Amino acid sequence: MGSDIHERRPLREDQDQDDDEDSISVDHDELDEIIADNETVASKASGSTSKHARKRLFAAFMIFGLLNNVLYVIILSAALDLVSSSTPKGVVALFNIFPALLTKVVWPLVSNGKIRYARRVGLCTCISWLGIMTIAFSNSLAPRLLGISLASLSSGLGELTFLQLTTTLPTTSTSKTALGAWSSGTGFAGIAGAGIWWLLRGLGVKGGLGLSSVLPLFFPITYKFLLPHFSELDSHSDPLGSSNLGQYQPISSNDIPPSIYITPPSQDPIPQLNSNSLRAQAQVQLQEEEEEEGQDTKLPGMRNYNLRLSSKEKLDLLKPLLLRYMVPLCAVYVEEYVINSGIAPTLVFPLPTYGIWSKLFKSPRDYYPFWSLTYQTFVFISRSTLSLSIPPIPLTFLPLPSIIQFIVLSLLYLQSKYFLFTSSSYTPPNTPTGDQDHGIDQTIPIAFMLICVEGLCGGLAYVNTFYHVAREGDIDGSEENLNAEVNVKRGLQREFRIGAVGAADSTGILFASLISMPLEISLCNSQIEQGRTTCRDL
């Protein structure tokens, strides 16, 4: 074979080592094949690392969701102990939700530029700890309400921060994993918060809430030590945040440096052509630069282009979100919290005399905590659907949970006011005794099933709304052809969308608290007029 500019040393031992053929021509396809083989080996080696990083990602976001919402639940559970008997308990709920709502509404509109997540986490930790300590070591109403407001502000900022953080992850699958874990954590917070206060309430407000004050300190610990660096979440991270990270791309002749064509026999240039190695080196270099500039290196390496969203751009992004996401989510929360705070306290019945219900209900005061536990359990189940790999609700059917929730609200309202499902022997003013005692009001299992559906609807609305919002504005295909500046701008838009929609649930809770207080009084008075006074005697 004659001399050729493309000649190089043979790579295989079984090739002829004849002095006349001391090199062999390698065409571009063979070169691409060799590089692809090398990258396959590297991919397998890093696969276990990536899998481990995803487990850490799931655990970190589940802990974030749990910590962010558990103090909210603890404070609500401790409402009876935080205010005097003459103070309406609704004031605790009001101060526990209004600052969070204010934060979710105002913060996305006034903040701009690249989010410093490490600073946000530190701020949430400090405010939450200060709030719970203020509640614990205060004896009068005013400072306790101040502490509740601080804890609420931290909760709102925390939800805003961690939902936005899920949009910065390097791939769609890791974003889905983080969102599912966050939703599961917030769902489990309802059960955990009620359980924690049940165990600690014997220590009193000072002791119980004082011990609870250690919980916010796990925010920075989780963020620093458990949350993986985002470059670990894909085998081959792209420093510019490309969505098809780690995929092999054939190398054209224009990309091959001159040294590949004529090389000394003792050199093997193939490892130098590994595109993933080059990407990794670029990633490390870029992160070192960002560390010197004080940027948050948990995020994918990306230069700070000092881009911002104008007020007009934010309003343009917000308008399509209102009817598509915010109104259905707000409606679900209005309905379920009207049920929880306005109707559930009046769902009291004569005590069962046999079966499992008789073991659960020993006193009329046992009904409301049981309805709350049932609701929280099914919220946790439904918020975990993404984590359980259950397909999300299609965007077209996103309003469906709010429609079903309205039906549940209507049925429970009619039961409380008119005893819709109650048998004649249990309908006031009848009071089953002796031979007439059937042992159990048939309404109890019906109310139980309706509250199960209530919890499922609430959790499904939450997790599916944010799942679709996180993908709002995505374009078909890869974003690899977009320049880095455009990718940064799109990232800011994703963060704003999911942050803005987060205000919908708190708005619903606030409206529900204003509706439920007079509604509970009205329903209880209606039952008393018909001859059942149990709700008044609780």
Side-chain angles (χ1 to χ4, degrees):
M1 183 179 296
S3 177
D4 193 317
I5 193 172
H6 294 281
E7 291 177 356
R8 55 162 291 159
R9 177 174 59 85
L11 299 176
R12 300 175 182 171
E13 294 180 357
D14 59 347
Q15 289 176 329
D16 189 2
Q17 300 295 327
D18 187 87
D19 293 336
D20 294 333
E21 296 181 346
D22 59 350
S23 62
I24 186 170
S25 175
V26 180
D27 60 21
H28 295 161
D29 292 337
E30 184 175 353
L31 181 61
D32 290 343
E33 182 179 350
I34 294 170
I35 296 176
D37 290 341
N38 290 343
E39 291 186 342
T40 300
V41 173
S43 178
K44 289 180 179 179
S46 60
S48 59
T49 302
S50 179
K51 186 176 181 180
H52 178 66
R54 282 174 178 264
K55 291 180 179 179
R56 290 168 54 201
L57 176 73
F58 183 90
F61 271 89
M62 186 160 186
I63 292 173
F64 288 147
L66 173 62
L67 295 176
N68 193 71
N69 283 26
V70 72
L71 289 182
Y72 169 83
V73 179
I74 290 175
I75 290 172
L76 286 182
S77 301
L80 289 175
D81 302 300
L82 294 178
V83 297
S84 64
S85 57
S86 60
T87 304
K89 307 305 177 287
V91 72
V92 175
L94 181 63
F95 278 81
N96 206 18
I97 191 60
F98 184 72
L101 170 62
L102 197 63
T103 302
K104 292 180 184 180
V105 171
V106 174
W107 202 291
L109 295 176
V110 300
S111 65
N112 221 326
K114 184 177 179 180
I115 297 175
R116 308 294 186 184
Y117 287 98
R119 296 180 186 177
R120 285 264 197 103
V121 172
L123 183 61
C124 289
T125 302
C126 294
I127 296 176
S128 183
W129 181 84
L130 181 61
I132 202 74
M133 291 296 286
T134 302
I135 302 171
F137 289 91
S138 299
N139 296 319
S140 58
L141 180 62
R144 284 186 173 179
L145 292 180
L146 174 62
I148 293 172
S149 298
L150 289 174
S152 174
L153 190 155
S154 173
S155 177
L157 181 59
E159 182 169 12
L160 178 67
T161 297
F162 293 114
L163 284 173
Q164 290 177 325
L165 185 58
T166 64
T167 68
T168 67
L169 291 160
T171 64
T172 301
S173 62
T174 52
S175 177
K176 181 179 178 181
T177 297
L179 181 58
W182 163 266
S183 299
S184 297
T186 57
F188 186 64
I191 303 173
I196 289 172
W197 184 248
W198 181 268
L199 294 173
L200 298 180
R201 61 179 179 163
L203 301 175
V205 171
K206 186 175 181 179
L209 293 184
L211 284 177
S212 300
S213 66
V214 304
L215 294 174
L217 303 181
F218 287 94
F219 272 128
I221 294 174
T222 303
Y223 185 85
K224 179 67 176 178
F225 298 106
L226 183 60
L227 181 66
H229 195 292
F230 288 1
S231 62
E232 301 175 45
L233 297 174
D234 193 271
S235 299
H236 315 292
S237 276
D238 188 320
L240 292 180
S242 176
S243 59
N244 62 336
L245 305 177
Q247 298 180 0
Y248 166 70
Q249 300 293 335
I251 299 179
S252 67
S253 58
N254 294 330
D255 297 328
I256 302 176
S259 60
I260 191 66
Y261 295 123
I262 304 176
T263 60
S266 61
Q267 295 183 8
D268 185 358
I270 294 300
Q272 299 177 16
L273 290 179
N274 191 319
S275 59
N276 299 320
S277 298
L278 294 175
R279 286 175 177 172
Q281 293 173 6
Q283 176 79 357
V284 171
Q285 181 180 357
L286 198 53
Q287 288 168 2
E288 289 175 351
E289 294 175 359
E290 291 183 347
E291 286 175 350
E292 293 176 357
E293 297 172 3
Q295 297 185 21
D296 188 354
T297 55
K298 279 283 185 183
L299 304 178
M302 184 179 294
R303 295 189 182 279
N304 186 357
Y305 289 90
N306 294 320
L307 294 178
R308 295 177 179 272
L309 295 177
S310 66
S311 299
K312 183 180 184 306
E313 287 176 315
K314 289 182 178 181
L315 290 176
D316 290 340
L317 291 171
L318 183 62
K319 289 177 183 177
L321 303 178
L322 289 172
L323 293 179
R324 192 177 303 164
Y325 302 111
M326 299 181 73
V327 170
L329 185 62
C330 181
V332 165
Y333 272 80
V334 169
E335 292 156 359
E336 68 181 274
Y337 275 82
V338 166
I339 294 173
N340 294 342
S341 301
I343 299 177
T346 66
L347 295 177
V348 289
F349 312 96
L351 294 176
T353 58
Y354 71 89
I356 188 172
W357 301 115
S358 66
K359 300 181 183 303
L360 292 173
F361 304 121
K362 302 294 186 181
S363 163
R365 292 177 64 90
D366 293 337
Y367 282 106
Y368 182 69
F370 179 75
W371 302 142
S372 298
L373 178 62
T374 301
Y375 162 76
Q376 295 289 0
T377 300
F378 280 84
V379 165
F380 169 60
I381 293 172
S382 56
R383 286 197 180 194
S384 299
T385 51
L386 283 185
S387 302
L388 297 173
S389 299
I390 297 175
I393 298 174
L395 182 58
T396 307
F397 296 103
L398 204 55
L400 186 60
S402 63
I403 297 173
I404 298 175
Q405 195 79 293
F406 180 76
I407 296 173
V408 172
L409 168 65
S410 301
L411 293 176
L412 290 176
Y413 171 82
L414 292 174
Q415 164 58 34
S416 180
K417 189 171 181 64
Y418 301 109
F419 302 96
L420 177 65
F421 301 111
T422 305
S423 60
S424 58
S425 59
Y426 277 87
T427 301
N430 294 333
T431 302
T433 57
D435 295 338
Q436 294 180 341
D437 190 350
H438 297 172
I440 182 173
D441 188 338
Q442 67 179 13
T443 313
I444 295 177
I446 295 175
F448 171 74
M449 289 187 292
L450 288 174
I451 290 175
C452 291
V453 175
E454 176 207 355
L456 290 175
C457 289
L460 287 174
Y462 181 92
V463 69
N464 284 278
T465 294
F466 288 112
Y467 172 83
H468 288 292
V469 171
R471 282 146 187 79
E472 183 78 10
D474 283 355
I475 58 176
D476 295 332
S478 170
E479 299 181 11
E480 60 182 329
N481 294 326
L482 299 178
N483 61 49
E485 183 173 341
V486 173
N487 274 330
V488 173
K489 192 67 171 284
R490 290 173 61 81
L492 294 176
Q493 293 171 347
R494 283 192 293 266
E495 289 174 328
F496 173 79
R497 287 191 190 97
I498 204 166
V501 171
D505 56 352
S506 297
T507 303
I509 296 172
L510 179 63
F511 286 159
S513 66
L514 299 177
I515 297 171
S516 61
M517 287 187 282
L519 178 63
E520 179 188 355
I521 296 173
S522 172
L523 290 175
C524 188
N525 289 337
S526 177
Q527 291 184 8
I528 293 172
E529 291 173 359
Q530 296 179 68
R532 179 173 290 180
T533 62
T534 311
C535 64
R536 183 187 60 188
D537 300 332
L538 293 178

